Amino acid sequence: VFKHPDSWKSLLEHLRARRKLSNLRCGLSFNYQGVAGKAKPEEIHAESLTSLWKSCDFIGVSMYQSVSPMPRPEDFDLAVGLFAGEFAGLRCQLPANKPLHFVEVGLGGGGLSASDWKPRIPAGSLDDAARAPYLGSSNPNEADPWKNADLKAFRMLYHQALCGYLSSPRPRYAVKQAFLWSFGSWDPYGLEESRFADPGIMEVISEHNRKSK
């Protein structure tokens, strides 16, 4: 995207010209950090990128930014601010009124230790789990972070904080839609692996969705 923004904009224009796609909504999605990937500064054309953002209906983000050991809605304010700040630092700022989508969001229960920066699943502490939501388990037979009572409680707080954040869209960079990563220990619904499910979190999310309609 950062190397060929004009090509992406042209693709969006061609899609919108297809009349059968009357309800089409187009967006581009990025990781929560390192948004430019391997593009070098001299390869980035800020004006073309800014024009591309304006042509999108939304901007997506895979949101696995760190949170507090006692998660709170403000953690996601910081995460979105860091995400948007990267674009500003590259001189291709996202429009403040452009809707954001969390195209992936979740907590895996793995952790990153501050002592050696090695990943561990399950996390060795709440601090480690909060530092790396992107780490988790695909197989409960090999590792099930949610057997640990403290991590299980932390998981609930994370999703309560996420729903609290989503329930009050911010005036800048408002997150309009969010999608859980329905895989492994990141998925409280246990769609793929029922042993990772958490009925309490399901109810928290269902209540949020009811109120958001």
Side-chain angles (χ1 to χ4, degrees), residues 79-157:
V80 169
L82 291 172
F83 175 70
E86 281 204 41
F87 292 90
L90 294 166
R91 297 177 293 107
C92 55
Q93 187 165 330
L94 296 175
N97 61 349
K98 184 67 60 179
L100 298 185
H101 290 184
F102 285 173
V103 296
E104 291 181 34
V105 64
L107 177 75
L112 197 63
S113 172
S115 62
D116 57 15
W117 298 102
K118 291 182 179 179
R120 291 180 175 83
I121 305 168
S125 70
L126 297 185
D127 284 341
D128 293 354
R131 194 175 289 117
Y134 52 85
L135 290 173
S137 170
S138 61
N139 187 342
N141 292 323
E142 297 175 358
D144 184 354
W146 314 127
K147 286 184 177 180
N148 179 296
D150 290 339
L151 287 176
K152 182 178 174 67
F154 174 69
R155 189 189 196 193
M156 171 62 81
L157 292 174

Side-chain angles (χ1 to χ4, degrees), residues 51-194:
S51 178
L52 176 59
W53 312 150
K54 290 179 180 178
S55 71
C56 291
D57 296 304
F58 66 90
I59 295 294
V61 51
S62 295
M63 182 48 73
Y64 298 100
Q65 184 61 264
S66 60
V67 295
S68 305
M70 291 291 289
R72 51 186 186 156
E74 290 77 12
D75 291 338
F76 295 95
D77 282 305
L78 176 59
V80 169
L82 291 172
F83 175 70
E86 281 204 41
F87 292 90
L90 294 166
R91 297 177 293 107
C92 55
Q93 187 165 330
L94 296 175
N97 61 349
K98 184 67 60 179
L100 298 185
H101 290 184
F102 285 173
V103 296
E104 291 181 34
V105 64
L107 177 75
L112 197 63
S113 172
S115 62
D116 57 15
W117 298 102
K118 291 182 179 179
R120 291 180 175 83
I121 305 168
S125 70
L126 297 185
D127 284 341
D128 293 354
R131 194 175 289 117
Y134 52 85
L135 290 173
S137 170
S138 61
N139 187 342
N141 292 323
E142 297 175 358
D144 184 354
W146 314 127
K147 286 184 177 180
N148 179 296
D150 290 339
L151 287 176
K152 182 178 174 67
F154 174 69
R155 189 189 196 193
M156 171 62 81
L157 292 174
Y158 176 93
H159 287 87
Q160 288 174 330
L162 174 61
C163 288
Y165 172 78
L166 295 173
S167 66
S168 301
R170 279 38 176 178
R172 290 168 53 85
Y173 307 116
V175 178
K176 297 293 188 178
Q177 295 191 49
F179 304 87
L180 294 172
W181 191 18
S182 301
F183 175 74
S185 60
W186 294 266
D187 180 17
Y189 282 86
L191 297 178
E192 184 181 58
E193 175 49 73
S194 61

